[in-house]
């Protein structure tokens, strides 16, 4: 329903913006996590997971205990789950979504359909929506009076009555040209009953590069730790080179004897696999490490990698070896100053000077910039916010002769302009005024960039205001 209607019925309702991409990302992570109950899993968007537990239930003490373990694990993570076990994926989906005798949807649900049970009899009372069909197909079935799986199964499989045989033939003719399973209830019914195989795409977790050292004697001194980190960086460089990748994010984990784990993360401006550069950056992250009674395990993991092909040595590659390349410089500044301290300005398609520039990550590609006609030279310094000035002598629409700024009076010696800039009508209110910009120089040789906000008699306010926005050298 519309949000306004929902709030009328329930004023205390809480709403949050939908995030389909985030939901799928969480589902993918859960698909890897649920492989603790079976050798492989598959996604069933938007809110389902399928796990193959063939020959694995006995490891948990049987199927009921396996479902209990599933329920406890999801509840521990704050997630509600409706779980079912069946010989086919379609039957498990139907039981978990539409079993009429199960608890309310907010409560944990556990259903088991044995391989020796009568699947048709067990699923007969479920609605036809349990077949995972398109909405238009469900509408057709309801118009035909087929509301339960049992009704459809009787017509599609074993009718002996002449009228029922005619109904079966009519049903086959209506859906025989529909090859998509979600548009053909006969195919879906056969999949539930195991007569037709249902291919599933398993989720294969990507193994990220990981190297580690288990130490014979715990480390307590920084010099020994630096040596181990350097060895791990070289191992990681070889691992990444073999995969044709470079690291963008590294995680260094250190396990102390007392069980505490220390983790230091490092995010890089560009994909690299230079061991010396990685060692140098990690050294800055180890200044405040407290080894306690000693560190017994050190692990280096690449949690984010990008493709990085081998290239012929050139000036930039040689610079990386000496730590003087642009990416290396940005990485070192980021480690010392923080992840959000290093940015670069890029042009933005806007006529207004304060909107003609934005900040991006140092090595991110430039966004496509639409051509903006009328761009002219701008002052070397533009104030973060325009400052109001008082023009002491000026004709209503003429050049400024003298102005006061920050308590000082400046006599204008030279004037260039005006450059008229219209407001952005698609994002401003209709009463926003024009701007006339002037480049001026005072009698002491200092240059300023000022503008008159509005024109006398434009019908959008009183007398025009004057502002100073930039300084030139």
């Amino acid at each position: 329903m519309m949000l306004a209607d929902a709030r009328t019925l329930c004023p205390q309702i809480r709403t949050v913006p939908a995030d389909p991409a985030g939901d799928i990302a969480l589902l993918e992570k859960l698909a890897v996590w649920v492989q603790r109950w079976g050798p492989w899993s598959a996604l069933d968007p938007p809110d389902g997971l399928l796990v193959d537990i063939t020959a694995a239930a006995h490891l948990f003490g049987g199927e009921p205990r396996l479902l209990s373990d599933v329920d406890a694990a999801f509840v521990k993570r704050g997630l509600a789950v409706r779980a079912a076990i069946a010989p086919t994926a379609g039957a498990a989906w139907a039981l978990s979504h539409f079993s009429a005798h199960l608890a309310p949807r907010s409560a944990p649900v556990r259903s088991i359909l044995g391989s020796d049970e009568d699947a048709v009899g067990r699923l007969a009372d479920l609605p036809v929506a349990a077949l995972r069909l398109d909405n238009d197909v469900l509408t057709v079935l309801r118009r035909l009076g087929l509301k339960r799986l049992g009704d459809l199964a009787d017509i599609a499989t074993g009718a002996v009555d002449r009228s029922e045989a005619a109904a079966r033939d009519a049903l086959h003719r209506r859906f025989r040209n529909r090859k998509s399973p979600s548009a053909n209830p006969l195919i879906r019914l056969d999949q539930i009953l195991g007569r037709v195989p249902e291919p599933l795409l398993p989720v294969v977790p990507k193994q990220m590069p990981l190297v580690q050292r288990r130490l014979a004697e715990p480390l307590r001194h920084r010099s020994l730790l630096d040596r181990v980190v350097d060895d791990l960086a070289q191992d990681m460089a070889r691992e990444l080179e073999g995969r044709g990748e470079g690291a963008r994010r590294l995680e260094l984990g250190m396990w102390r004897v007392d069980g505490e784990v220390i983790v230091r993360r490092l995010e890089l401006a560009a994909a690299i696999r230079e061991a010396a550069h990685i060692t140098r950056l990690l050294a800055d992250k180890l200044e405040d490490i407290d080894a306690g009674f000693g560190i017994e395990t050190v692990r280096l993991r690449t949690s984010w990698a990008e493709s990085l092909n081998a290239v012929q040595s050139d000036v930039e590659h040689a610079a990386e070896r000496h730590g003087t390349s642009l990416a290396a410089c940005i990485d070192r500044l980021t480690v010392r100053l923080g992840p959000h301290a290093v940015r670069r300005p890029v042009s933005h398609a806007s006529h207004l000077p304060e909107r003609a520039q934005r900040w991006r990550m140092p090595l991110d590609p430039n966004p496509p910039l639409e051509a903006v006609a009328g761009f002219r030279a701008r002052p070397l310094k533009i104030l973060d916010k325009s400052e109001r000035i008082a023009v002491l002598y000026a004709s209503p629409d003429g050049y400024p002769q003298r102005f006061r700024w920050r308590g000082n009076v400046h006599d204008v010696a030279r004037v260039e302009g005006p450059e008229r800039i219209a407001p952005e009508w698609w994002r401003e209110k209709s009463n926003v005024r024009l701007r006339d910009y002037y480049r001026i120089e005072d009698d002491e040789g200092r240059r300023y960039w000022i503008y008159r906000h509005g024109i006398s008699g434009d019908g959008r306010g009183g007398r025009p205001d004057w502002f100073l926005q930039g300084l030139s050298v």
Side-chain angles (χ1 to χ4, degrees), residues 246-257:
R248 285 296 305 272
R249 185 184 297 118
L250 293 165
E251 297 177 357
L252 180 67
M254 293 157 283
W255 277 256
R256 299 196 327 190
V257 175

Side-chain angles (χ1 to χ4, degrees), residues 297-319:
T297 302
V298 184
R299 176 182 298 174
L300 182 63
R301 176 176 176 267
T302 298
S303 57
W304 176 16
E306 291 182 349
S307 177
L308 182 63
N309 298 325
V311 296
Q312 184 176 359
S313 298
D314 55 11
V315 176
E316 179 71 9
H317 188 65

Side-chain angles (χ1 to χ4, degrees), residues 5 9 40 49 78 98 101 111 202 222 228 231 235 239 251:
D5 298 337
L9 298 175
W40 64 268
L49 294 170
F98 290 98
H101 61 276
S111 301
R222 172 64 188 277
V228 173
D231 292 341
D235 292 347
E239 181 74 15
E251 297 177 357

Side-chain angles (χ1 to χ4, degrees), residues 424-440:
E424 296 178 340
W425 55 266
W426 58 91
R427 62 189 304 174
E428 302 284 2
K429 296 181 180 179
S430 59
N431 58 353
V432 177
R433 312 182 79 176
L434 299 172
R435 298 183 187 180
D436 282 341
Y437 279 85
Y438 296 89
R439 297 177 180 276
I440 62 175

